[in-house]
Amino acid sequence: MEEKKVYMLLKAVIFHYHGLDDIEKNDLEKTAHELNAQDEYKWALDFVAQDYVTSFDRARDYLNEIIGDYPKEKRVELINMVWQANNLKGYVTEMEATAMLKLAKDWNVQKELIELVLA
């Protein structure tokens, strides 16, 4: 349950960082379906909708509380998942990249994110 919330919130907050487009909305819905995470998907959208402007910082605080205890491989997997999802549209905006770098720094996996970007 917690991991589904983490996945859905992470994707939702990064996708909403610059404004959700159709490709991202479809990816969120597909992820929710694949993970059987409809409740977590709704929770994540509600989380963002509470206050769009502060949603990234609030999500960052929430995620850091949980993800800080995850093994390094899992933290890398999560940052990779969100990087790959952002690449679905063929590019990553500077704002999205900045957001992911902040999370990677929080989770102490910035080197791994940079390796993923350069690969």
Side-chain angles (χ1 to χ4, degrees), residues 98-114:
T98 300
M100 285 183 274
L101 280 168
K102 286 178 183 178
L103 292 172
K105 184 175 186 223
D106 290 348
W107 304 343
N108 199 26
V109 294
Q110 58 271 51
K111 178 177 156 257
E112 289 79 1
L113 174 60
I114 290 168

PDB file of all heavy atoms in Angstrom, residues 98-114:
ATOM      1  N   THR A  98      15.163  19.601 -12.776  1.00  0.00           N
ATOM      2  CA  THR A  98      15.521  20.221 -11.501  1.00  0.00           C
ATOM      3  C   THR A  98      14.810  19.529 -10.345  1.00  0.00           C
ATOM      4  O   THR A  98      15.421  19.248  -9.308  1.00  0.00           O
ATOM      5  CB  THR A  98      15.178  21.730 -11.524  1.00  0.00           C
ATOM      6  OG1 THR A  98      15.924  22.344 -12.574  1.00  0.00           O
ATOM      7  CG2 THR A  98      15.500  22.396 -10.209  1.00  0.00           C
ATOM      8  N   ALA A  99      13.542  19.243 -10.523  1.00  0.00           N
ATOM      9  CA  ALA A  99      12.776  18.556  -9.478  1.00  0.00           C
ATOM     10  C   ALA A  99      13.377  17.181  -9.186  1.00  0.00           C
ATOM     11  O   ALA A  99      13.547  16.796  -8.022  1.00  0.00           O
ATOM     12  CB  ALA A  99      11.309  18.424  -9.901  1.00  0.00           C
ATOM     13  N   MET A 100      13.707  16.446 -10.245  1.00  0.00           N
ATOM     14  CA  MET A 100      14.283  15.108 -10.045  1.00  0.00           C
ATOM     15  C   MET A 100      15.661  15.186  -9.400  1.00  0.00           C
ATOM     16  O   MET A 100      15.999  14.343  -8.561  1.00  0.00           O
ATOM     17  CB  MET A 100      14.325  14.350 -11.361  1.00  0.00           C
ATOM     18  CG  MET A 100      12.948  13.868 -11.775  1.00  0.00           C
ATOM     19  SD  MET A 100      12.963  12.908 -13.279  1.00  0.00           S
ATOM     20  CE  MET A 100      12.864  14.214 -14.481  1.00  0.00           C
ATOM     21  N   LEU A 101      16.447  16.183  -9.757  1.00  0.00           N
ATOM     22  CA  LEU A 101      17.759  16.356  -9.126  1.00  0.00           C
ATOM     23  C   LEU A 101      17.616  16.660  -7.635  1.00  0.00           C
ATOM     24  O   LEU A 101      18.406  16.163  -6.826  1.00  0.00           O
ATOM     25  CB  LEU A 101      18.555  17.469  -9.820  1.00  0.00           C
ATOM     26  CG  LEU A 101      19.231  17.059 -11.121  1.00  0.00           C
ATOM     27  CD1 LEU A 101      19.745  18.286 -11.867  1.00  0.00           C
ATOM     28  CD2 LEU A 101      20.361  16.070 -10.859  1.00  0.00           C
ATOM     29  N   LYS A 102      16.611  17.454  -7.269  1.00  0.00           N
ATOM     30  CA  LYS A 102      16.372  17.744  -5.849  1.00  0.00           C
ATOM     31  C   LYS A 102      16.040  16.453  -5.098  1.00  0.00           C
ATOM     32  O   LYS A 102      16.565  16.211  -4.009  1.00  0.00           O
ATOM     33  CB  LYS A 102      15.234  18.756  -5.686  1.00  0.00           C
ATOM     34  CG  LYS A 102      15.616  20.163  -6.064  1.00  0.00           C
ATOM     35  CD  LYS A 102      14.424  21.097  -5.921  1.00  0.00           C
ATOM     36  CE  LYS A 102      14.762  22.500  -6.367  1.00  0.00           C
ATOM     37  NZ  LYS A 102      13.598  23.401  -6.279  1.00  0.00           N
ATOM     38  N   LEU A 103      15.165  15.645  -5.679  1.00  0.00           N
ATOM     39  CA  LEU A 103      14.806  14.379  -5.037  1.00  0.00           C
ATOM     40  C   LEU A 103      16.009  13.445  -4.956  1.00  0.00           C
ATOM     41  O   LEU A 103      16.248  12.818  -3.923  1.00  0.00           O
ATOM     42  CB  LEU A 103      13.659  13.703  -5.791  1.00  0.00           C
ATOM     43  CG  LEU A 103      12.313  14.417  -5.714  1.00  0.00           C
ATOM     44  CD1 LEU A 103      11.312  13.757  -6.663  1.00  0.00           C
ATOM     45  CD2 LEU A 103      11.776  14.434  -4.294  1.00  0.00           C
ATOM     46  N   ALA A 104      16.767  13.360  -6.040  1.00  0.00           N
ATOM     47  CA  ALA A 104      17.946  12.493  -6.054  1.00  0.00           C
ATOM     48  C   ALA A 104      18.945  12.930  -4.982  1.00  0.00           C
ATOM     49  O   ALA A 104      19.546  12.086  -4.307  1.00  0.00           O
ATOM     50  CB  ALA A 104      18.598  12.507  -7.437  1.00  0.00           C
ATOM     51  N   LYS A 105      19.097  14.237  -4.810  1.00  0.00           N
ATOM     52  CA  LYS A 105      20.003  14.738  -3.773  1.00  0.00           C
ATOM     53  C   LYS A 105      19.467  14.365  -2.394  1.00  0.00           C
ATOM     54  O   LYS A 105      20.225  13.899  -1.531  1.00  0.00           O
ATOM     55  CB  LYS A 105      20.164  16.258  -3.892  1.00  0.00           C
ATOM     56  CG  LYS A 105      21.158  16.808  -2.910  1.00  0.00           C
ATOM     57  CD  LYS A 105      21.394  18.286  -3.109  1.00  0.00           C
ATOM     58  CE  LYS A 105      22.509  18.719  -2.177  1.00  0.00           C
ATOM     59  NZ  LYS A 105      22.241  19.957  -1.517  1.00  0.00           N
ATOM     60  N   ASP A 106      18.166  14.560  -2.179  1.00  0.00           N
ATOM     61  CA  ASP A 106      17.545  14.190  -0.899  1.00  0.00           C
ATOM     62  C   ASP A 106      17.804  12.722  -0.574  1.00  0.00           C
ATOM     63  O   ASP A 106      18.028  12.359   0.571  1.00  0.00           O
ATOM     64  CB  ASP A 106      16.028  14.399  -0.939  1.00  0.00           C
ATOM     65  CG  ASP A 106      15.609  15.857  -0.970  1.00  0.00           C
ATOM     66  OD1 ASP A 106      16.455  16.747  -0.738  1.00  0.00           O
ATOM     67  OD2 ASP A 106      14.409  16.103  -1.246  1.00  0.00           O
ATOM     68  N   TRP A 107      17.730  11.882  -1.592  1.00  0.00           N
ATOM     69  CA  TRP A 107      17.822  10.436  -1.408  1.00  0.00           C
ATOM     70  C   TRP A 107      19.250   9.909  -1.565  1.00  0.00           C
ATOM     71  O   TRP A 107      19.475   8.712  -1.543  1.00  0.00           O
ATOM     72  CB  TRP A 107      16.907   9.712  -2.386  1.00  0.00           C
ATOM     73  CG  TRP A 107      15.477  10.146  -2.315  1.00  0.00           C
ATOM     74  CD1 TRP A 107      14.856  10.843  -1.305  1.00  0.00           C
ATOM     75  CD2 TRP A 107      14.471   9.932  -3.305  1.00  0.00           C
ATOM     76  NE1 TRP A 107      13.550  11.066  -1.614  1.00  0.00           N
ATOM     77  CE2 TRP A 107      13.273  10.524  -2.838  1.00  0.00           C
ATOM     78  CE3 TRP A 107      14.472   9.305  -4.537  1.00  0.00           C
ATOM     79  CZ2 TRP A 107      12.084  10.484  -3.546  1.00  0.00           C
ATOM     80  CZ3 TRP A 107      13.286   9.268  -5.266  1.00  0.00           C
ATOM     81  CH2 TRP A 107      12.111   9.851  -4.767  1.00  0.00           C
ATOM     82  N   ASN A 108      20.186  10.836  -1.783  1.00  0.00           N
ATOM     83  CA  ASN A 108      21.597  10.487  -1.923  1.00  0.00           C
ATOM     84  C   ASN A 108      21.858   9.546  -3.105  1.00  0.00           C
ATOM     85  O   ASN A 108      22.629   8.599  -3.009  1.00  0.00           O
ATOM     86  CB  ASN A 108      22.144   9.896  -0.612  1.00  0.00           C
ATOM     87  CG  ASN A 108      23.652   9.959  -0.562  1.00  0.00           C
ATOM     88  OD1 ASN A 108      24.279  10.797  -1.197  1.00  0.00           O
ATOM     89  ND2 ASN A 108      24.243   9.040   0.173  1.00  0.00           N
ATOM     90  N   VAL A 109      21.189   9.815  -4.229  1.00  0.00           N
ATOM     91  CA  VAL A 109      21.390   9.037  -5.459  1.00  0.00           C
ATOM     92  C   VAL A 109      21.589   9.950  -6.668  1.00  0.00           C
ATOM     93  O   VAL A 109      21.313   9.559  -7.796  1.00  0.00           O
ATOM     94  CB  VAL A 109      20.224   8.029  -5.716  1.00  0.00           C
ATOM     95  CG1 VAL A 109      20.182   6.945  -4.648  1.00  0.00           C
ATOM     96  CG2 VAL A 109      18.884   8.750  -5.819  1.00  0.00           C
ATOM     97  N   GLN A 110      22.131  11.161  -6.434  1.00  0.00           N
ATOM     98  CA  GLN A 110      22.303  12.085  -7.551  1.00  0.00           C
ATOM     99  C   GLN A 110      23.303  11.570  -8.573  1.00  0.00           C
ATOM    100  O   GLN A 110      23.124  11.753  -9.777  1.00  0.00           O
ATOM    101  CB  GLN A 110      22.632  13.513  -7.087  1.00  0.00           C
ATOM    102  CG  GLN A 110      23.867  13.689  -6.245  1.00  0.00           C
ATOM    103  CD  GLN A 110      23.630  13.547  -4.766  1.00  0.00           C
ATOM    104  OE1 GLN A 110      23.051  12.580  -4.304  1.00  0.00           O
ATOM    105  NE2 GLN A 110      24.096  14.509  -3.988  1.00  0.00           N
ATOM    106  N   LYS A 111      24.358  10.879  -8.126  1.00  0.00           N
ATOM    107  CA  LYS A 111      25.336  10.309  -9.061  1.00  0.00           C
ATOM    108  C   LYS A 111      24.653   9.300  -9.983  1.00  0.00           C
ATOM    109  O   LYS A 111      24.867   9.294 -11.198  1.00  0.00           O
ATOM    110  CB  LYS A 111      26.467   9.640  -8.274  1.00  0.00           C
ATOM    111  CG  LYS A 111      27.512   8.978  -9.134  1.00  0.00           C
ATOM    112  CD  LYS A 111      28.636   8.395  -8.258  1.00  0.00           C
ATOM    113  CE  LYS A 111      29.338   7.291  -8.966  1.00  0.00           C
ATOM    114  NZ  LYS A 111      28.960   5.964  -8.513  1.00  0.00           N
ATOM    115  N   GLU A 112      23.803   8.486  -9.413  1.00  0.00           N
ATOM    116  CA  GLU A 112      23.102   7.466 -10.192  1.00  0.00           C
ATOM    117  C   GLU A 112      22.123   8.109 -11.192  1.00  0.00           C
ATOM    118  O   GLU A 112      22.003   7.633 -12.324  1.00  0.00           O
ATOM    119  CB  GLU A 112      22.343   6.509  -9.259  1.00  0.00           C
ATOM    120  CG  GLU A 112      23.243   5.590  -8.468  1.00  0.00           C
ATOM    121  CD  GLU A 112      23.912   6.242  -7.230  1.00  0.00           C
ATOM    122  OE1 GLU A 112      23.665   7.437  -6.959  1.00  0.00           O
ATOM    123  OE2 GLU A 112      24.686   5.562  -6.548  1.00  0.00           O
ATOM    124  N   LEU A 113      21.465   9.191 -10.784  1.00  0.00           N
ATOM    125  CA  LEU A 113      20.560   9.876 -11.709  1.00  0.00           C
ATOM    126  C   LEU A 113      21.359  10.453 -12.885  1.00  0.00           C
ATOM    127  O   LEU A 113      20.950  10.311 -14.042  1.00  0.00           O
ATOM    128  CB  LEU A 113      19.775  10.986 -11.010  1.00  0.00           C
ATOM    129  CG  LEU A 113      18.906  11.845 -11.938  1.00  0.00           C
ATOM    130  CD1 LEU A 113      17.863  11.026 -12.676  1.00  0.00           C
ATOM    131  CD2 LEU A 113      18.227  12.973 -11.159  1.00  0.00           C
ATOM    132  N   ILE A 114      22.462  11.068 -12.605  1.00  0.00           N
ATOM    133  CA  ILE A 114      23.287  11.649 -13.675  1.00  0.00           C
ATOM    134  C   ILE A 114      23.759  10.552 -14.626  1.00  0.00           C
ATOM    135  O   ILE A 114      23.754  10.733 -15.847  1.00  0.00           O
ATOM    136  CB  ILE A 114      24.469  12.452 -13.083  1.00  0.00           C
ATOM    137  CG1 ILE A 114      23.887  13.712 -12.416  1.00  0.00           C
ATOM    138  CG2 ILE A 114      25.490  12.814 -14.153  1.00  0.00           C
ATOM    139  CD1 ILE A 114      24.856  14.465 -11.536  1.00  0.00           C
TER     140      ILE A 114
END
